[in-house]
Amino acid sequence: QLKARAAQAIVDPVYYDNNGNRLPDDTPGEQIALSVYDIPLKPGILFQPHPAFARNENGDYRYYPIQAKQLAGKYAIPDFEHTGTRELTAHDYVYAIRRLASPEVVSPIFGVMAEHIVGLRDYAEHLKVVRQQQDKQKQPWFDLRPYAFEGAEALDSHTLRIRVRGKYPQFKYWLAMTFLAPIPWEADRFYQQPGMAEHNLSLNTWPVGTGPYQLTESIQNQRHVLGRNPNFRGESYPCDGEEGDALKGLLDDCGQLTPFIDEIVFSIEKESVPLLGKFIQGYYDVPQADDHVYGVSLQVAASDSAAKAELYKERDLQLLTSTEAQIYYFGFNWLDPVVGQGDTPEQAEKNRKLRQAISIAFNWEQYIAIFLNGQGEVAHGPVPPNIPGYQPPPQGLNRQVYLWESDRAVRRPLDEAKRLLAEAGYPGGRDEMTGAPLVLHFDSAGGMGSSATLDWMRQQLQKLNVELEVRATDYNRFQDKMRQGTAQMFMWGWVADYPDPENFLFLLYGPNAKATNGGENAANYQSDEFDRLFEAMRYLDEGPEKEALVHKMVSVVQNDMPWMFGFYPRSGGAYQAWVANAKPTQMARDTLQYLRVDAPLRSDKIRAWNPPLWWPAWLVLVLLLGLAYPAYRISQRRNQATGLSRQTKTEVS
């Protein structure tokens, strides 16, 4: 659920028509020409201490322009003696949006934002011309402050205005993503000075923000350290959550100011074996911060080994899993004459029955058990759990492939798939006109093309006496085929950008077809009914009306079957017993400030789990003594012999 952080509140936009007239809030989306967001910011938010803000006694910036002697020996921000700060303002958000269009910045989100923010694309073209006219040698920093555009402006220091084309309810989610994080112009200027890049000083390596932590140490590929931001305003721990969170103790810190941890150390491990070994020994609180594969792998290891299960239980490890807002699907190219839409209504129905027969034969329950070790959930539609509009079975049951029996989904019998195959024109897996065997083609790339996976796919089609020919390529070639629309069948996935069904359903929207329009509709699916429902749904705010449309759209694609919906994967977190407030998720990436660590318990456990072994030291001591004694005896004999020789010489003299 979206929450306000730097903003005072989640605001609703004001709507206008093409003539600039204000429209009522309930105006149908297709009649809205412009949405204006006036976002009030919280006053008093400060940036972290940073040398870009540092000033001398005269009020001038200490490190601009920077002298060579000031940069000598400085390869990290903490190396600078002086720092400063200032208040976060709406101008910092405006500057960040302008940077999306800057020719000096390569932004992967520019294309999406240019479709929605008024004037952003034309602004980018204007900045290109301006920059070409400048002498980069004399002006290494491209100051964007003099170049305004109507899509983003600061009404005052604490009010940000963004103009968006038409009605786009999902735009509010983009405001919570890193692409639109505020950027102070002082930091941009600071890092663009000569010599900074050679010292590995940039916004990429040393970002400047207002959050709970700041980077205090960074050794590439080895170690990164976050320390408390002394200027952080403090944010309260949440008091509400999902069902069951309170019983798990996840709301015990309700109302307490975060963050709870003073310092977070990231160590980069090259191999998974030493990483897991150190985690089991207690030297790591969490094995991985940016992903959750280890929580799943440890659960699988516990299910495969009683000894590991006992060890994990003894260590009281927290192994938590959740079904993520993502999907892996098996796509049929709608442009293909065999598995696609078809040229005539009769052929379209035959191709649909072929897709249905294949979908019944493909046992995704088995796939999840074999390749995911059970850490996944069979998908019945394109919208995953925890996204508005999702319906679990039996309401959301894919009835083209499943039956509902004894309160559970049961895959339709294989005999039904064979009957559908015959009705599609391929009785017994052969063309009814020519008698030639039906051969289907699967284009694979990356992890979806492992030999074991491909063998499993062949086995699924062999149930219908259908042959599968695999066309394996590298990922770049695979992407070319997808862009050209030449792949027949493929497997791909999608991870939610934001918790809205539009972010999944747009993958099947006709105008987003990859082959014709370069969109994310990789199956090139085209349905007038689906597109009509999508266009009505995309303008709606959250509520029952929108959910009802989502259910209809899911029903349409369940019937047309441009995808085998595949599965929703699970991700899992692994945490030590002394880590509190742990809850794995991949959509929210700001959870570190909510974690709490019981440091005394950690120290006690590490000592208990890793007692010193003295016998190697005693063994080494014994070996050394064993080696030293012969040397000592030899030395004694030599000394005795030398003394006797001297005595003899004396007597002779």
Side-chain angles (χ1 to χ4, degrees):
Q1 184 178 0
L2 193 65
K3 297 285 188 179
R5 300 198 73 177
Q8 294 184 34
I10 306 296
V11 298
D12 294 322
V14 175
Y15 303 124
Y16 296 88
D17 63 17
N18 284 317
N19 297 319
N21 298 314
R22 171 83 179 264
L23 296 172
D25 293 342
D26 59 354
T27 301
E30 58 272 12
Q31 298 177 20
I32 295 173
L34 179 69
S35 300
V36 178
Y37 291 80
D38 287 345
I39 305 167
L41 302 181
K42 295 176 182 176
I45 297 177
L46 298 178
F47 281 101
Q48 68 186 69
H50 195 276
F53 304 118
R55 295 175 183 265
N56 59 24
E57 296 77 7
N58 299 323
D60 300 322
Y61 288 98
R62 285 185 177 273
Y63 299 110
Y64 188 88
I66 198 166
Q67 306 298 320
K69 62 180 180 180
Q70 291 178 293
L71 198 55
K74 293 179 173 60
Y75 294 89
I77 290 302
D79 294 338
F80 289 85
E81 180 182 359
H82 301 282
T83 62
T85 187
R86 69 163 173 80
E87 185 182 28
L88 169 72
T89 71
H91 299 283
D92 300 310
Y93 287 95
V94 172
Y95 195 86
I97 294 173
R98 292 178 184 178
R99 283 186 83 250
L100 298 179
S102 171
E104 308 288 289
V105 177
V106 179
S107 172
I109 203 61
F110 170 76
V112 174
M113 291 295 99
E115 292 179 11
H116 298 291
I117 298 179
V118 173
L120 185 60
R121 195 176 301 278
D122 292 338
Y123 181 65
E125 294 301 320
H126 175 64
L127 291 182
K128 286 182 183 178
V129 175
V130 172
R131 192 54 170 159
Q132 288 171 357
Q133 295 172 348
Q134 292 181 351
D135 185 348
K136 292 187 179 182
Q137 297 299 320
K138 295 181 180 179
Q139 295 179 313
W141 174 49
F142 189 13
D143 186 0
L144 301 176
R145 289 176 296 166
Y147 309 104
F149 80 107
E150 59 180 328
E153 62 176 319
L155 300 184
D156 55 51
S157 294
H158 297 100
T159 309
L160 169 66
R161 171 171 285 180
I162 301 179
R163 293 180 172 89
V164 175
R165 291 192 183 93
K167 183 178 181 181
Y168 183 40
Q170 294 77 23
F171 184 75
K172 61 184 180 182
Y173 294 114
W174 291 106
L175 296 173
M177 296 187 189
T178 55
F179 304 114
L180 295 180
I183 294 181
W185 65 267
E186 296 96 331
D188 192 29
R189 182 183 69 173
F190 174 81
Y191 285 124
Q192 292 303 315
Q193 297 182 88
M196 287 288 180
E198 291 76 8
H199 285 240
N200 201 31
L201 297 172
S202 71
L203 280 171
N204 291 332
T205 53
W206 294 92
V208 184
T210 64
Y213 292 104
Q214 60 183 0
L215 194 63
T216 59
E217 181 182 343
S218 180
I219 305 175
Q220 296 296 310
N221 299 317
Q222 291 186 39
R223 172 184 165 97
H224 305 279
V225 179
L226 296 178
R228 276 182 181 268
N229 173 9
N231 295 339
F232 184 59
R233 58 199 177 276
E235 290 180 350
S236 298
Y237 188 89
C239 293
D240 56 351
E242 291 182 313
E243 184 179 355
D245 282 354
L247 292 176
K248 297 174 184 175
L250 291 173
L251 303 181
D252 291 352
D253 284 319
C254 164
Q256 298 294 316
L257 285 183
T258 64
F260 299 131
I261 298 172
D262 294 324
E263 186 176 75
I264 302 173
V265 179
F266 297 85
S267 298
I268 311 300
E269 292 282 356
K270 304 296 184 182
E271 303 290 340
S272 61
V273 173
L275 169 60
L276 285 178
K278 293 176 183 178
F279 174 66
I280 297 299
Q281 290 176 285
Y283 295 117
Y284 288 141
D285 304 316
V286 181
Q288 194 173 26
D290 60 344
D291 203 351
H292 299 291
V293 297
Y294 284 101
V296 173
S297 64
L298 287 172
Q299 286 206 7
V300 172
S303 64
D304 292 341
S305 169
K308 288 184 178 179
E310 183 62 28
L311 175 62
Y312 301 162
K313 182 179 179 181
E314 175 190 321
R315 297 288 163 97
D316 201 18
L317 297 182
Q318 301 179 71
L319 304 179
L320 312 173
T321 59
S322 62
T323 301
E324 286 295 338
Q326 55 183 292
I327 186 172
Y328 284 94
Y329 63 89
F330 189 105
F332 300 101
N333 185 2
W334 215 240
L335 305 177
D336 185 82
V338 178
V339 301
Q341 183 177 19
D343 297 331
T344 65
E346 294 77 14
Q347 190 61 45
E349 180 59 19
K350 285 188 174 183
N351 289 5
R352 192 194 72 81
K353 289 183 176 181
L354 173 60
R355 295 192 299 274
Q356 186 179 4
I358 294 171
S359 299
I360 293 172
F362 265 66
N363 190 329
W364 290 105
E365 291 85 356
Q366 185 185 73
Y367 181 96
I368 292 170
I370 294 174
F371 298 104
L372 304 180
N373 294 290
Q375 298 302 311
E377 181 180 334
V378 171
H380 288 264
V383 180
N386 299 320
I387 297 296
Y390 167 77
Q391 280 187 307
Q395 294 88 353
L397 183 73
N398 182 0
R399 299 186 183 277
Q400 304 297 321
V401 179
Y402 290 89
L403 299 170
W404 188 255
E405 297 179 354
S406 302
D407 293 329
R408 67 187 185 94
V410 178
R411 187 171 291 275
R412 289 180 178 272
L414 192 61
D415 287 343
E416 186 170 343
K418 292 178 179 179
R419 175 181 60 79
L420 289 165
L421 185 67
E423 293 175 3
Y426 305 99
R430 291 183 173 272
D431 190 304
E432 62 183 355
M433 302 297 294
T434 66
L438 175 60
V439 180
L440 299 178
H441 305 281
F442 178 79
D443 283 271
S444 69
M448 294 302 177
S450 67
S451 59
T453 302
L454 298 175
D455 287 343
W456 178 84
M457 291 182 179
R458 291 190 183 97
Q459 291 172 13
Q460 306 310 298
L461 287 181
Q462 284 172 2
K463 301 173 187 176
L464 303 176
N465 199 31
V466 174
E467 297 180 23
L468 180 66
E469 181 179 298
V470 176
R471 298 186 290 203
T473 59
D474 59 37
Y475 194 65
N476 289 336
R477 176 60 182 143
F478 173 73
Q479 287 184 308
D480 288 340
K481 289 183 178 182
M482 298 304 295
R483 282 190 287 264
Q484 297 164 9
T486 58
Q488 186 179 62
M489 301 188 304
F490 60 94
M491 194 168 176
W492 229 347
W494 188 260
V495 180
D497 293 307
Y498 43 80
D500 191 288
E502 181 265 353
N503 196 232
F504 289 92
L505 294 172
F506 91 116
L507 299 172
L508 294 160
Y509 180 50
N512 284 341
K514 186 172 287 290
T516 54
N517 298 318
E520 295 297 340
N521 180 355
N524 302 299
Y525 173 61
Q526 176 66 51
S527 165
D528 292 340
E529 182 181 7
F530 182 91
D531 292 349
R532 177 181 60 81
L533 293 169
F534 181 86
E535 288 164 2
M537 180 275 303
R538 71 189 307 179
Y539 295 124
L540 294 177
D541 297 312
E542 295 176 6
E545 184 182 359
K546 183 173 182 176
E547 291 215 7
L549 283 179
V550 172
H551 298 161
K552 289 181 181 179
M553 296 169 69
V554 171
S555 178
V556 169
V557 294
Q558 285 176 338
N559 181 73
D560 288 348
M561 312 189 78
W563 292 357
M564 281 191 282
F565 297 111
F567 58 92
Y568 312 123
R570 287 191 186 134
S571 68
Y575 309 88
Q576 297 288 1
W578 52 80
V579 178
N581 303 329
K583 187 174 183 179
T585 176
Q586 295 211 29
M587 184 173 292
R589 299 299 181 94
D590 60 349
T591 57
L592 285 175
Q593 77 182 80
Y594 304 115
L595 296 181
R596 185 189 288 278
V597 172
D598 186 339
L601 178 60
R602 174 171 57 187
S603 299
D604 292 343
K605 292 295 185 181
I606 290 176
R607 283 195 297 269
W609 294 344
N610 304 280
L613 299 178
W614 295 109
W615 66 263
W618 288 111
L619 179 61
V620 170
L621 180 60
V622 170
L623 290 174
L624 290 175
L625 290 175
L627 293 173
Y629 182 73
Y632 171 76
R633 293 293 299 160
I634 292 172
S635 175
Q636 288 293 100
R637 290 173 181 170
R638 285 179 177 173
N639 290 338
Q640 291 177 359
T642 302
L644 182 60
S645 174
R646 288 175 178 171
Q647 181 180 357
T648 303
K649 289 180 180 180
T650 301
E651 291 176 352
V652 170
S653 299

